[in-house]
Coordinates of all heavy atoms in Angstrom, one line a residue:
L27 N -19.0 -16.1 -8.7 CA -17.7 -16.0 -8.1 C -17.7 -16.8 -6.8 O -16.7 -17.4 -6.4 CB -17.3 -14.5 -7.9 CG -15.9 -14.3 -7.4 CD1 -14.9 -14.8 -8.4 CD2 -15.7 -12.8 -7.2
L28 N -18.8 -16.7 -6.0 CA -18.9 -17.4 -4.8 C -18.8 -18.9 -4.9 O -18.4 -19.6 -4.0 CB -20.2 -17.0 -4.0 CG -20.2 -15.7 -3.2 CD1 -21.5 -15.5 -2.6 CD2 -19.1 -15.7 -2.2
L29 N -19.2 -19.4 -6.1 CA -19.2 -20.8 -6.3 C -17.8 -21.4 -6.4 O -17.5 -22.5 -6.2 CB -19.9 -21.2 -7.7 CG -21.4 -20.9 -7.7 CD1 -22.0 -21.2 -9.1 CD2 -22.1 -21.6 -6.6
N30 N -16.8 -20.5 -6.6 CA -15.4 -20.9 -6.6 C -14.8 -21.0 -5.2 O -13.8 -21.6 -5.0 CB -14.5 -19.9 -7.4 CG -14.8 -20.0 -8.9 OD1 -15.5 -20.8 -9.3 ND2 -14.4 -19.0 -9.6
I31 N -15.5 -20.5 -4.2 CA -15.1 -20.5 -2.8 C -15.7 -21.8 -2.1 O -16.9 -22.0 -2.3 CB -15.6 -19.3 -2.1 CG1 -15.0 -18.0 -2.7 CG2 -15.1 -19.3 -0.6 CD1 -15.6 -16.7 -2.2
P32 N -14.9 -22.6 -1.4 CA -15.5 -23.7 -0.7 C -16.6 -23.3 0.2 O -16.6 -22.2 0.8 CB -14.3 -24.2 0.1 CG -13.1 -23.8 -0.7 CD -13.5 -22.4 -1.2
E33 N -17.6 -24.1 0.2 CA -18.9 -23.8 0.9 C -18.6 -23.4 2.4 O -19.2 -22.5 2.9 CB -19.8 -25.0 0.8 CG -21.2 -24.7 1.3 CD -22.2 -25.8 1.1 OE1 -22.0 -26.6 0.2 OE2 -23.3 -25.8 1.7
A34 N -17.7 -24.1 3.0 CA -17.4 -23.7 4.4 C -16.8 -22.3 4.6 O -16.9 -21.7 5.7 CB -16.5 -24.8 5.0
E35 N -16.2 -21.8 3.6 CA -15.5 -20.5 3.7 C -16.4 -19.4 3.1 O -16.1 -18.2 3.3 CB -14.2 -20.5 2.9 CG -13.2 -21.5 3.5 CD -11.8 -21.5 2.8 OE1 -11.3 -20.4 2.5 OE2 -11.3 -22.6 2.6
R36 N -17.5 -19.7 2.5 CA -18.3 -18.7 1.9 C -18.9 -17.6 2.9 O -18.9 -16.4 2.6 CB -19.5 -19.3 1.1 CG -19.0 -19.9 -0.2 CD -20.2 -20.5 -1.0 NE -19.7 -21.5 -2.0 CZ -20.3 -22.4 -2.5 NH1 -21.6 -22.6 -2.2 NH2 -19.8 -23.2 -3.4
P37 N -19.4 -18.1 4.0 CA -19.9 -17.1 4.9 C -18.9 -16.0 5.4 O -19.2 -14.9 5.6 CB -20.4 -17.9 6.1 CG -20.7 -19.3 5.6 CD -19.6 -19.4 4.5
I38 N -17.6 -16.5 5.5 CA -16.6 -15.5 5.9 C -16.3 -14.5 4.8 O -16.2 -13.3 5.0 CB -15.3 -16.3 6.3 CG1 -15.5 -17.2 7.5 CG2 -14.1 -15.3 6.5 CD1 -14.5 -18.2 7.7
A39 N -16.3 -15.0 3.6 CA -16.1 -14.1 2.4 C -17.2 -13.1 2.3 O -17.0 -11.9 2.1 CB -15.9 -14.9 1.1
V40 N -18.4 -13.6 2.4 CA -19.6 -12.7 2.3 C -19.6 -11.7 3.4 O -19.9 -10.5 3.2 CB -20.9 -13.5 2.3 CG1 -22.1 -12.7 2.5 CG2 -21.0 -14.4 1.0
A41 N -19.2 -12.1 4.6 CA -19.2 -11.2 5.8 C -18.2 -10.1 5.6 O -18.5 -8.9 6.0 CB -18.9 -12.0 7.1
H42 N -17.1 -10.4 5.0 CA -16.1 -9.3 4.7 C -16.6 -8.3 3.8 O -16.5 -7.1 4.1 CB -14.8 -9.9 4.1 CG -13.8 -10.4 5.2 ND1 -13.0 -9.6 5.9 CD2 -13.6 -11.6 5.6 CE1 -12.3 -10.3 6.7 NE2 -12.6 -11.5 6.6
V43 N -17.3 -8.7 2.7 CA -17.9 -7.7 1.8 C -19.0 -7.0 2.4 O -19.1 -5.7 2.3 CB -18.3 -8.4 0.5 CG1 -19.0 -7.4 -0.4 CG2 -17.1 -9.0 -0.2
A44 N -19.8 -7.7 3.2 CA -21.0 -7.0 3.9 C -20.5 -6.0 5.0 O -21.3 -5.1 5.3 CB -21.8 -8.1 4.5
S45 N -19.3 -6.2 5.4 CA -18.8 -5.2 6.5 C -18.4 -3.9 5.9 O -18.1 -3.0 6.7 CB -17.6 -5.9 7.2 OG -16.4 -5.9 6.4
L46 N -18.3 -3.8 4.6 CA -18.0 -2.5 4.0 C -19.0 -1.4 4.3 O -20.2 -1.7 4.3 CB -17.8 -2.6 2.5 CG -16.7 -3.5 2.0 CD1 -16.8 -3.7 0.5 CD2 -15.4 -2.9 2.3
S47 N -18.5 -0.3 4.6 CA -19.4 0.9 5.0 C -18.6 2.1 4.7 O -17.4 2.1 4.5 CB -19.8 0.8 6.4 OG -18.7 1.1 7.3
P48 N -19.3 3.3 4.7 CA -18.5 4.6 4.5 C -17.4 4.7 5.6 O -16.4 5.3 5.3 CB -19.6 5.6 4.6 CG -20.9 4.9 4.1 CD -20.7 3.5 4.7
K49 N -17.6 4.2 6.8 CA -16.6 4.3 7.8 C -15.6 3.3 7.7 O -14.5 3.4 8.3 CB -17.3 4.3 9.2 CG -18.1 5.6 9.5 CD -18.7 5.5 10.9 CE -19.5 6.8 11.1 NZ -20.0 6.9 12.5
N50 N -15.9 2.2 7.0 CA -15.0 1.0 6.9 C -15.0 0.7 5.4 O -15.5 -0.4 5.0 CB -15.4 -0.1 7.7 CG -14.5 -1.3 7.6 OD1 -13.3 -1.1 7.6 ND2 -15.0 -2.5 7.6
P51 N -14.4 1.5 4.5 CA -14.5 1.3 3.1 C -13.6 0.2 2.5 O -13.8 -0.1 1.3 CB -14.2 2.6 2.5 CG -13.3 3.3 3.5 CD -13.7 2.8 4.8
V52 N -12.7 -0.3 3.3 CA -11.7 -1.3 2.7 C -11.6 -2.5 3.7 O -11.5 -2.3 4.9 CB -10.3 -0.7 2.5 CG1 -9.4 -1.8 2.0 CG2 -10.4 0.5 1.5
T53 N -11.6 -3.7 3.2 CA -11.4 -4.9 4.0 C -10.5 -5.9 3.2 O -10.6 -5.9 2.0 CB -12.7 -5.6 4.4 OG1 -12.4 -6.7 5.2 CG2 -13.5 -6.0 3.2
I54 N -9.7 -6.6 3.9 CA -8.9 -7.6 3.3 C -9.2 -9.0 3.9 O -9.3 -9.1 5.1 CB -7.4 -7.3 3.5 CG1 -7.0 -5.9 2.8 CG2 -6.5 -8.4 3.0 CD1 -5.6 -5.4 3.1
S55 N -9.4 -10.0 3.0 CA -9.7 -11.3 3.5 C -8.8 -12.3 2.6 O -8.4 -12.0 1.5 CB -11.1 -11.6 3.3 OG -11.6 -11.6 2.0
E56 N -8.7 -13.5 3.2 CA -8.0 -14.6 2.5 C -8.9 -15.8 2.6 O -9.4 -16.1 3.6 CB -6.6 -14.9 3.2 CG -5.7 -13.7 3.2 CD -4.4 -13.9 3.9 OE1 -4.3 -15.0 4.6 OE2 -3.5 -13.0 3.8
H57 N -9.0 -16.5 1.5 CA -9.7 -17.8 1.4 C -9.3 -18.6 0.2 O -8.6 -18.1 -0.7 CB -11.2 -17.5 1.4 CG -11.7 -16.7 0.2 ND1 -11.8 -17.2 -1.0 CD2 -12.1 -15.4 0.2 CE1 -12.2 -16.2 -1.8 NE2 -12.4 -15.1 -1.1
H58 N -9.7 -19.8 0.2 CA -9.4 -20.7 -0.9 C -10.3 -20.4 -2.1 O -11.4 -19.9 -1.9 CB -9.6 -22.2 -0.5 CG -8.6 -22.7 0.5 ND1 -8.9 -22.8 1.8 CD2 -7.4 -23.2 0.3 CE1 -7.8 -23.3 2.4 NE2 -6.9 -23.6 1.5
S59 N -9.8 -20.7 -3.3 CA -10.6 -20.7 -4.5 C -10.4 -21.9 -5.3 O -9.2 -22.4 -5.4 CB -10.3 -19.5 -5.3 OG -10.9 -18.3 -4.7
L60 N -11.4 -22.5 -5.8 CA -11.3 -23.7 -6.7 C -11.0 -23.2 -8.1 O -11.8 -22.4 -8.7 CB -12.6 -24.5 -6.6 CG -12.7 -25.7 -7.5 CD1 -11.6 -26.7 -7.0 CD2 -14.1 -26.3 -7.5
M61 N -10.0 -23.7 -8.7 CA -9.5 -23.3 -10.0 C -10.2 -24.2 -11.1 O -10.7 -25.3 -10.8 CB -8.0 -23.4 -10.1 CG -7.3 -22.5 -9.1 SD -7.8 -20.8 -9.0 CE -7.2 -20.2 -10.5
P62 N -10.3 -23.7 -12.3 CA -10.9 -24.5 -13.4 C -10.3 -25.9 -13.6 O -11.0 -26.8 -14.0 CB -10.7 -23.6 -14.7 CG -10.5 -22.2 -14.1 CD -9.8 -22.4 -12.8
D63 N -9.0 -26.1 -13.2 CA -8.4 -27.4 -13.4 C -8.7 -28.3 -12.2 O -8.2 -29.4 -12.1 CB -6.9 -27.3 -13.6 CG -6.1 -26.7 -12.4 OD1 -6.8 -26.4 -11.4 OD2 -4.9 -26.6 -12.5
G64 N -9.5 -27.8 -11.2 CA -9.8 -28.6 -10.0 C -8.9 -28.4 -8.9 O -9.2 -28.9 -7.8
S65 N -7.8 -27.7 -9.0 CA -6.9 -27.4 -7.9 C -7.4 -26.3 -7.0 O -8.3 -25.6 -7.4 CB -5.5 -27.0 -8.4 OG -5.6 -25.7 -9.1
M66 N -6.9 -26.3 -5.8 CA -7.4 -25.4 -4.8 C -6.2 -24.4 -4.5 O -5.1 -24.8 -4.3 CB -7.8 -26.1 -3.5 CG -8.5 -25.2 -2.5 SD -10.2 -24.8 -3.1 CE -11.0 -26.4 -2.9
R67 N -6.5 -23.1 -4.6 CA -5.4 -22.1 -4.4 C -5.9 -21.1 -3.3 O -7.1 -21.0 -3.0 CB -5.2 -21.3 -5.7 CG -4.9 -22.1 -6.9 CD -3.6 -22.5 -7.3 NE -2.5 -21.5 -7.2 CZ -1.2 -21.8 -7.2 NH1 -0.9 -23.1 -7.1 NH2 -0.3 -20.9 -7.1
W68 N -5.0 -20.4 -2.7 CA -5.3 -19.4 -1.7 C -5.3 -18.0 -2.4 O -4.4 -17.7 -3.3 CB -4.2 -19.3 -0.6 CG -4.3 -20.2 0.5 CD1 -3.7 -21.4 0.7 CD2 -5.1 -20.0 1.7 NE1 -4.1 -22.0 1.9 CE2 -5.0 -21.1 2.5 CE3 -6.0 -19.0 2.1 CZ2 -5.6 -21.3 3.7 CZ3 -6.7 -19.2 3.3 CH2 -6.5 -20.3 4.1
F69 N -6.3 -17.2 -2.1 CA -6.4 -15.8 -2.7 C -6.6 -14.8 -1.5 O -7.2 -15.1 -0.5 CB -7.5 -15.7 -3.7 CG -7.2 -16.2 -5.0 CD1 -7.2 -17.5 -5.3 CD2 -6.8 -15.3 -6.0 CE1 -6.8 -18.0 -6.6 CE2 -6.4 -15.7 -7.3 CZ -6.5 -17.1 -7.6
Q70 N -5.9 -13.7 -1.7 CA -6.1 -12.6 -0.8 C -6.9 -11.5 -1.6 O -6.6 -11.2 -2.7 CB -4.8 -11.9 -0.4 CG -5.0 -10.8 0.6 CD -3.7 -10.1 0.9 OE1 -3.0 -9.5 0.1 NE2 -3.3 -10.3 2.2
W71 N -8.0 -11.1 -1.0 CA -8.9 -10.1 -1.6 C -8.9 -8.8 -0.9 O -9.1 -8.8 0.4 CB -10.4 -10.7 -1.7 CG -10.5 -11.7 -2.7 CD1 -10.3 -13.1 -2.5 CD2 -10.8 -11.6 -4.1 NE1 -10.5 -13.8 -3.7 CE2 -10.7 -12.8 -4.7 CE3 -11.0 -10.4 -4.9 CZ2 -11.0 -13.0 -6.0 CZ3 -11.2 -10.6 -6.2 CH2 -11.2 -11.9 -6.8
T72 N -8.7 -7.7 -1.6 CA -8.9 -6.4 -1.1 C -10.2 -5.9 -1.7 O -10.3 -5.7 -2.9 CB -7.8 -5.5 -1.4 OG1 -6.6 -6.0 -0.9 CG2 -8.0 -4.1 -0.8
D73 N -11.2 -5.7 -0.8 CA -12.5 -5.2 -1.3 C -12.7 -3.8 -0.8 O -12.3 -3.4 0.3 CB -13.6 -6.1 -0.7 CG -13.6 -7.5 -1.2 OD1 -13.7 -7.7 -2.4 OD2 -13.4 -8.5 -0.4
R74 N -13.2 -3.0 -1.7 CA -13.3 -1.5 -1.4 C -14.7 -1.1 -1.8 O -15.2 -1.4 -2.9 CB -12.3 -0.8 -2.3 CG -12.3 0.7 -2.1 CD -11.3 1.4 -3.0 NE -10.0 0.8 -2.9 CZ -9.1 1.2 -1.9 NH1 -9.4 2.1 -1.1 NH2 -7.9 0.6 -1.9
A75 N -15.3 -0.3 -0.9 CA -16.6 0.3 -1.2 C -16.3 1.6 -2.0 O -15.5 2.5 -1.5 CB -17.4 0.6 0.1
L76 N -17.0 1.8 -3.1 CA -16.9 3.1 -3.9 C -18.0 3.9 -3.5 O -19.2 3.5 -3.5 CB -16.8 2.8 -5.3 CG -15.6 1.9 -5.8 CD1 -15.7 1.6 -7.3 CD2 -14.3 2.5 -5.4
L77 N -17.8 5.2 -3.1 CA -18.8 6.1 -2.6 C -19.1 7.2 -3.5 O -18.2 7.7 -4.3 CB -18.3 6.7 -1.2 CG -17.7 5.7 -0.2 CD1 -17.2 6.4 1.0 CD2 -18.8 4.7 0.2
D78 N -20.3 7.7 -3.5 CA -20.7 8.8 -4.2 C -20.3 10.1 -3.5 O -19.8 10.0 -2.4 CB -22.2 8.8 -4.6 CG -23.1 8.9 -3.5 OD1 -22.7 9.2 -2.3 OD2 -24.3 8.6 -3.7
A79 N -20.7 11.3 -4.0 CA -20.3 12.5 -3.4 C -21.0 12.7 -2.0 O -20.4 13.4 -1.1 CB -20.7 13.7 -4.3
D80 N -22.1 12.0 -1.7 CA -22.8 12.1 -0.5 C -22.3 11.0 0.6 O -22.8 11.0 1.7 CB -24.3 12.0 -0.7 CG -24.9 13.1 -1.5 OD1 -24.4 14.2 -1.3 OD2 -25.8 12.8 -2.3
G81 N -21.3 10.2 0.1 CA -20.8 9.2 1.0 C -21.6 7.9 1.0 O -21.4 7.1 1.9
N82 N -22.5 7.7 0.1 CA -23.2 6.5 -0.1 C -22.5 5.5 -0.9 O -21.8 5.8 -1.9 CB -24.6 6.7 -0.7 CG -25.4 7.7 0.1 OD1 -25.6 7.5 1.3 ND2 -25.9 8.8 -0.5
I83 N -22.5 4.2 -0.5 CA -21.9 3.1 -1.3 C -22.7 3.0 -2.7 O -23.9 2.8 -2.7 CB -21.9 1.8 -0.6 CG1 -21.0 1.9 0.7 CG2 -21.3 0.7 -1.5 CD1 -21.1 0.7 1.6
I84 N -21.9 3.1 -3.8 CA -22.6 2.9 -5.1 C -22.2 1.6 -5.7 O -22.9 1.1 -6.6 CB -22.3 4.2 -6.0 CG1 -20.8 4.4 -6.1 CG2 -23.1 5.4 -5.5 CD1 -20.5 5.5 -7.2
E85 N -21.0 1.1 -5.4 CA -20.6 -0.2 -5.8 C -19.4 -0.7 -5.0 O -18.8 0.1 -4.2 CB -20.3 -0.2 -7.3 CG -19.1 0.7 -7.7 CD -18.9 0.7 -9.2 OE1 -18.6 -0.4 -9.8 OE2 -18.9 1.7 -9.8
N86 N -19.1 -1.9 -5.2 CA -17.9 -2.5 -4.5 C -16.9 -3.0 -5.6 O -17.3 -3.4 -6.7 CB -18.3 -3.8 -3.7 CG -19.2 -3.4 -2.6 OD1 -19.2 -2.3 -2.0 ND2 -20.1 -4.4 -2.2
Q87 N -15.6 -2.9 -5.2 CA -14.6 -3.3 -6.1 C -13.7 -4.3 -5.3 O -13.4 -4.1 -4.2 CB -13.7 -2.1 -6.5 CG -12.5 -2.4 -7.3 CD -11.6 -1.2 -7.4 OE1 -11.1 -0.7 -6.4 NE2 -11.3 -0.9 -8.7
G88 N -13.4 -5.4 -6.0 CA -12.6 -6.5 -5.4 C -11.4 -6.7 -6.3 O -11.5 -6.9 -7.5
V89 N -10.2 -6.8 -5.6 CA -9.0 -7.2 -6.3 C -8.4 -8.3 -5.6 O -8.1 -8.3 -4.4 CB -8.0 -6.0 -6.4 CG1 -6.7 -6.4 -7.0 CG2 -8.7 -4.8 -7.1
G90 N -8.2 -9.4 -6.3 CA -7.6 -10.6 -5.7 C -6.3 -10.9 -6.3 O -5.9 -10.6 -7.4
R91 N -5.5 -11.6 -5.4 CA -4.1 -12.1 -5.8 C -3.9 -13.4 -5.2 O -4.3 -13.7 -4.1 CB -3.0 -11.1 -5.5 CG -2.8 -10.9 -4.0 CD -1.8 -9.8 -3.8 NE -1.5 -9.7 -2.4 CZ -0.3 -9.9 -1.9 NH1 0.7 -10.2 -2.6 NH2 -0.1 -9.8 -0.6
D92 N -3.2 -14.2 -6.0 CA -2.9 -15.6 -5.6 C -1.8 -15.6 -4.6 O -0.7 -15.1 -4.9 CB -2.5 -16.4 -6.8 CG -2.4 -17.9 -6.6 OD1 -2.1 -18.3 -5.4 OD2 -2.5 -18.7 -7.5
I93 N -2.0 -16.1 -3.4 CA -1.0 -16.1 -2.3 C -0.7 -17.5 -1.9 O -0.2 -17.7 -0.8 CB -1.5 -15.2 -1.1 CG1 -2.8 -15.8 -0.5 CG2 -1.6 -13.8 -1.5 CD1 -3.1 -15.2 0.8
T94 N -0.9 -18.5 -2.8 CA -0.7 -19.9 -2.5 C 0.7 -20.1 -2.1 O 1.0 -20.8 -1.1 CB -1.1 -20.8 -3.7 OG1 -2.5 -20.5 -4.0 CG2 -0.9 -22.2 -3.3
E95 N 1.7 -19.6 -2.8 CA 3.1 -19.9 -2.5 C 3.4 -19.3 -1.1 O 4.2 -19.9 -0.4 CB 4.0 -19.3 -3.6 CG 3.8 -19.9 -5.0 CD 4.0 -21.4 -5.0 OE1 4.9 -21.9 -4.3 OE2 3.1 -22.1 -5.6
R96 N 2.9 -18.1 -0.8 CA 3.2 -17.6 0.5 C 2.6 -18.5 1.6 O 3.3 -18.7 2.6 CB 2.6 -16.2 0.6 CG 3.0 -15.5 1.9 CD 2.2 -14.2 2.2 NE 1.0 -14.7 2.9 CZ -0.1 -13.9 3.1 NH1 -0.2 -12.8 2.5 NH2 -1.1 -14.4 3.8
K97 N 1.4 -18.9 1.4 CA 0.7 -19.8 2.4 C 1.5 -21.1 2.6 O 1.7 -21.6 3.7 CB -0.7 -20.1 2.0 CG -1.6 -18.9 2.2 CD -1.8 -18.6 3.7 CE -3.1 -17.8 3.9 NZ -3.3 -17.6 5.4
N98 N 2.0 -21.7 1.5 CA 2.8 -22.9 1.5 C 4.1 -22.7 2.3 O 4.5 -23.5 3.1 CB 3.0 -23.4 0.1 CG 1.8 -24.0 -0.5 OD1 0.8 -24.3 0.1 ND2 1.9 -24.1 -1.9
S99 N 4.7 -21.5 2.0 CA 6.0 -21.2 2.7 C 5.7 -21.0 4.2 O 6.6 -21.5 5.0 CB 6.6 -19.9 2.1 OG 7.0 -20.2 0.8
E100 N 4.7 -20.3 4.6 CA 4.3 -20.2 6.0 C 4.1 -21.5 6.7 O 4.5 -21.7 7.8 CB 3.1 -19.2 6.1 CG 3.3 -17.8 5.8 CD 2.1 -17.0 5.7 OE1 0.9 -17.5 5.8 OE2 2.2 -15.7 5.6
A101 N 3.4 -22.4 6.0 CA 3.2 -23.7 6.6 C 4.5 -24.5 6.7 O 4.7 -25.1 7.8 CB 2.2 -24.5 5.7
E102 N 5.3 -24.4 5.8 CA 6.6 -25.1 5.9 C 7.5 -24.5 7.0 O 8.1 -25.3 7.7 CB 7.4 -25.0 4.5 CG 6.8 -25.8 3.4 CD 7.5 -25.6 2.1 OE1 8.6 -25.0 2.1 OE2 7.0 -26.0 1.1
L103 N 7.5 -23.2 7.1 CA 8.2 -22.6 8.2 C 7.6 -23.0 9.6 O 8.4 -23.2 10.5 CB 8.2 -21.0 8.0 CG 8.9 -20.2 9.1 CD1 10.4 -20.6 9.1 CD2 8.8 -18.7 8.8
A104 N 6.3 -23.0 9.7 CA 5.7 -23.5 11.0 C 6.1 -24.9 11.3 O 6.4 -25.2 12.5 CB 4.2 -23.3 10.9
D105 N 6.1 -25.8 10.3 CA 6.5 -27.2 10.5 C 8.0 -27.2 11.0 O 8.4 -27.9 11.9 CB 6.4 -28.0 9.3 CG 4.9 -28.3 8.9 OD1 4.1 -28.1 9.8 OD2 4.7 -28.7 7.8
Y106 N 8.9 -26.4 10.3 CA 10.3 -26.4 10.6 C 10.5 -25.9 12.1 O 11.2 -26.5 12.8 CB 11.0 -25.5 9.7 CG 12.5 -25.3 10.0 CD1 13.4 -26.3 9.8 CD2 12.9 -24.1 10.6 CE1 14.7 -26.1 10.1 CE2 14.2 -23.9 10.9 CZ 15.1 -24.9 10.7 OH 16.5 -24.7 11.0
R107 N 9.8 -24.8 12.4 CA 9.9 -24.3 13.8 C 9.4 -25.4 14.8 O 10.1 -25.5 15.9 CB 9.1 -23.1 14.0 CG 9.7 -21.9 13.3 CD 8.9 -20.6 13.6 NE 9.6 -19.5 13.0 CZ 9.0 -18.4 12.6 NH1 7.7 -18.2 12.7 NH2 9.7 -17.3 12.2
A108 N 8.3 -26.1 14.5 CA 7.8 -27.1 15.5 C 8.9 -28.2 15.6 O 9.1 -28.7 16.8 CB 6.5 -27.6 15.0
R109 N 9.5 -28.6 14.5 CA 10.5 -29.7 14.6 C 11.7 -29.2 15.4 O 12.3 -29.9 16.2 CB 10.9 -30.1 13.2 CG 9.8 -31.1 12.6 CD 10.3 -31.6 11.3 NE 10.0 -30.5 10.3 CZ 10.8 -30.3 9.2 NH1 11.8 -31.1 8.9 NH2 10.4 -29.4 8.4
L110 N 12.1 -27.9 15.2 CA 13.3 -27.4 15.8 C 13.0 -27.3 17.4 O 13.9 -27.6 18.2 CB 13.6 -26.0 15.3 CG 14.8 -25.3 15.8 CD1 16.1 -26.1 15.6 CD2 15.0 -23.9 15.2
E111 N 11.8 -26.8 17.7 CA 11.5 -26.7 19.2 C 11.5 -28.1 19.8 O 11.9 -28.3 20.9 CB 10.1 -26.1 19.3 CG 10.1 -24.6 19.0 CD 8.8 -23.9 19.1 OE1 7.8 -24.6 19.5 OE2 8.7 -22.8 18.7
Q112 N 11.0 -29.1 19.0 CA 11.0 -30.5 19.6 C 12.4 -31.0 19.8 O 12.7 -31.6 20.8 CB 10.3 -31.4 18.6 CG 10.1 -32.8 19.1 CD 9.3 -33.7 18.1 OE1 9.3 -33.4 16.9 NE2 8.7 -34.7 18.6
L113 N 13.3 -30.7 18.8 CA 14.7 -31.1 19.0 C 15.4 -30.4 20.2 O 16.2 -31.0 20.9 CB 15.5 -30.8 17.7 CG 15.2 -31.7 16.5 CD1 15.9 -31.1 15.3 CD2 15.7 -33.1 16.8
V114 N 15.1 -29.1 20.4 CA 15.7 -28.4 21.5 C 15.2 -28.9 22.8 O 15.9 -29.0 23.8 CB 15.4 -26.8 21.3 CG1 15.8 -26.1 22.5 CG2 16.1 -26.3 20.1
A115 N 13.9 -29.3 22.8 CA 13.3 -29.8 24.1 C 13.9 -31.2 24.5 O 13.8 -31.6 25.6 CB 11.8 -29.9 23.9
E116 N 14.4 -31.9 23.5 CA 14.9 -33.3 23.8 C 16.2 -33.2 24.5 O 17.1 -32.8 24.9 CB 15.1 -34.1 22.5 CG 13.8 -34.4 21.9 CD 13.9 -35.1 20.6 OE1 15.1 -35.3 20.1 OE2 12.9 -35.5 20.0

């Protein structure tokens, strides 16, 4: 699964999972993933530590969702705002 994450972003993804603990059992991260067709997409991952009755981590669960459209919309909105601010400043 890490091979789908661009090398520059892997340490961040690994750090999010490594930060899971009984006191911090859930973390959310966003990073790119390389798709089988060669395209690059954005994913948001919710990682959760599953605990036993004594509070020890017994496994991790990760659920990912494709947020590429949201990221593209945010970038377009930021560009629009920058252009608007430039027009107002003129």
Side-chain angles (χ1 to χ4, degrees):
L27 189 60
L28 279 178
L29 296 177
N30 294 346
I31 302 171
E33 192 171 340
E35 296 181 45
R36 287 181 196 161
I38 297 165
V40 169
H42 275 279
V43 174
S45 73
L46 294 171
S47 69
K49 291 184 179 181
N50 182 39
V52 178
T53 185
I54 297 174
S55 63
E56 298 176 354
H57 58 76
H58 289 98
S59 285
L60 180 63
M61 304 307 292
D63 67 0
S65 66
M66 194 69 72
R67 310 267 316 160
W68 275 99
F69 278 80
Q70 180 183 68
W71 286 91
T72 301
D73 296 299
R74 178 181 310 274
L76 302 176
L77 310 174
D78 65 14
D80 296 323
N82 300 308
I83 297 175
I84 55 173
E85 64 182 301
N86 295 329
Q87 176 189 56
V89 177
R91 65 185 185 118
D92 187 334
I93 60 167
T94 304
E95 296 307 317
R96 186 193 88 197
K97 287 290 199 176
N98 290 343
S99 293
E100 289 172 352
E102 288 175 16
L103 182 58
D105 288 344
Y106 175 76
R107 284 183 176 155
R109 283 184 280 148
L110 185 59
E111 288 176 8
Q112 186 179 25
L113 287 173
V114 171
E116 291 177 355

